[in-house]
Amino acid sequence: MDVRRTRLGEGAAFAVLLLTAAAILFTGLDGPTDAQPGYIHDECYQAFTAHRYSLGDPGAWGWAQKEQIEKFLKEDMTPNTTYEWVHPPTAKLIMSASISLLGFTPFAYRLPSVLAGLFTLLMTWLIARKVFGAEAALVAVGLLTIDGLFFVMSRIAMNDIYVTAAIAGLGYGVVRYFLDRDDRLRWVLWSGVFSGIALSTKWNAAPSVLLAGLLFAIEMIWRRREIAPIKPLAILFISFALLPPLIYLLSYGPYFLLGHGFSELVKLTQDIWGYHHHLKEGHSSSSHWFQWPFVIRPVWFYQAPGIEEGDLREIFAFTG
């Protein structure tokens, strides 16, 4: 009974913390209202493309001249707006579904980001609770909730919080596999699913996916070296060699339904790789890798005059 009460207390404490985080993240989600047509930072690419997905714009899956984009519709465009095709489509498809249900508003295309942020908090609590205990888990969730970078990315329609949530789900599967004693192979499958979601959102999930697969393989071979680990390795193969590519291909389902073939997806993938490989243009808020541990360069998302003369309103992503 004491154990049950303790767990109920821990769950209640986390629920209060999660509801508090939700209240913070949802407050003013549709602002600032003077941004037209509501985009902040790279929403002019990603939320815009998600809207075009919902409208069935056939050109939204690849690069196009501005004149071509305007032929379909102008009302959702800004001077900098263009299709975002240089990342896989899962995040934009989720935004598109929200836009289809709720209409083309900042709240609609940012809502899934908040939900992804809340899912990340849930995974953080579950991972920390499993590894360090309930008190440490609450501290971890509390710190993440008030982190500036997490706050901003959970309230903007960009794919970063989606891949973060997917990697957190992958991490939970890895933790459960290594710390559970029974029925552990289901967590390998769980991890494979989240690996596919992560990769179909943003390619920078690849190192996390490769590391997870390597850890599973090493453990399976090492701990079962006296007996051929046929079943575990078969599950691993399904989870990391079959599921991620399948999920990745499924994310391009609407692309195929528009009449594109597999060879065109291969060409598009090559173009995505070429874009990132040859990208030389810098960013005013960029920083060198050796500056990252010191967190000294925020990324400004929005600036506008304040109510009082001389005031300035800003949104910037910054850990701390």
Side-chain angles (χ1 to χ4, degrees):
M1 182 64 70
D2 290 339
V3 173
R4 182 178 299 177
R5 286 180 178 177
T6 299
R7 289 180 177 176
L8 286 173
E10 295 169 355
F14 170 70
V16 170
L17 191 55
L18 190 66
L19 288 172
T20 301
I24 294 171
L25 292 174
F26 274 111
T27 300
L29 189 61
D30 56 350
T33 56
D34 58 346
Q36 296 297 327
Y39 301 136
I40 299 296
H41 198 58
D42 282 358
E43 288 181 343
C44 68
Y45 310 126
Q46 299 191 22
F48 165 76
T49 304
H51 182 222
R52 292 301 180 91
Y53 282 2
S54 70
L55 296 176
D57 182 353
W61 294 84
W63 182 86
Q65 294 280 358
K66 185 176 181 180
E67 292 77 13
Q68 295 174 279
I69 302 173
E70 288 180 337
K71 286 181 181 179
F72 188 88
L73 185 70
K74 290 184 179 181
E75 286 75 9
D76 57 350
M77 296 185 67
T78 70
N80 298 319
T81 299
T82 189
Y83 297 136
E84 193 280 276
W85 55 272
V86 299
H87 296 291
T90 290
K92 298 184 288 290
L93 289 172
I94 296 172
M95 296 179 210
S96 177
S98 181
I99 291 169
S100 297
L101 288 172
L102 302 175
F104 181 54
T105 66
F107 180 87
Y109 52 71
R110 293 172 188 160
L111 171 63
S113 295
V114 174
L115 299 179
L118 294 175
F119 180 81
T120 303
L121 291 175
L122 173 61
M123 291 297 103
T124 299
W125 182 68
L126 291 173
I127 292 171
R129 185 173 179 270
K130 190 72 176 177
V131 178
F132 301 108
E135 292 182 358
L138 291 174
V139 172
V141 172
L143 291 174
L144 185 56
T145 299
I146 62 174
D147 180 82
L149 179 62
F150 176 80
F151 174 77
V152 171
M153 301 313 296
S154 296
R155 287 167 49 85
I156 194 166
M158 291 170 55
N159 58 11
D160 302 86
I161 193 62
Y162 292 84
V163 72
T164 299
I167 292 174
L170 165 62
Y172 180 60
V174 173
V175 167
R176 289 297 300 266
Y177 176 83
F178 278 92
L179 296 184
D180 283 7
R181 294 185 177 181
D182 302 314
D183 199 16
R184 299 193 307 152
L185 290 178
R186 59 176 174 164
W187 296 111
V188 182
L189 289 167
W190 166 287
S191 299
V193 170
F194 277 98
S195 294
I197 295 172
L199 289 171
S200 65
T201 301
K202 202 170 184 180
W203 284 2
N204 65 0
S208 298
V209 173
L210 291 173
L211 178 59
L214 183 62
L215 289 174
F216 285 135
I218 292 173
E219 192 275 345
M220 289 175 181
I221 295 172
W222 178 257
R223 293 192 61 179
R224 297 172 174 83
R225 61 190 183 279
E226 297 179 358
I227 304 174
I230 302 301
K231 181 179 178 180
L233 288 178
I235 295 294
L236 179 63
F237 180 81
I238 292 170
S239 300
F240 281 83
L242 298 183
L243 278 178
L246 176 60
I247 293 171
Y248 192 93
L249 286 174
L250 286 174
S251 73
Y252 278 96
Y255 181 74
F256 294 131
L257 290 175
L258 287 170
H260 297 284
F262 182 76
S263 61
E264 291 176 284
L265 177 59
V266 172
K267 177 61 169 61
L268 177 60
T269 304
Q270 292 172 339
D271 290 343
I272 293 173
W273 168 261
Y275 172 86
H276 291 290
H277 184 67
H278 297 291
L279 182 62
K280 303 298 181 183
E281 185 177 350
H283 192 283
S284 59
S285 295
S286 63
S287 59
H288 299 290
W289 65 266
F290 53 80
Q291 295 175 302
W292 299 345
F294 303 101
V295 198
I296 59 177
R297 292 296 301 274
V299 179
W300 269 267
F301 283 12
Y302 169 83
Q303 289 183 329
I307 298 176
E308 300 293 334
E309 185 177 353
D311 287 349
L312 186 66
R313 292 178 295 154
E314 296 181 325
I315 298 174
F316 58 90
F318 192 66
T319 295

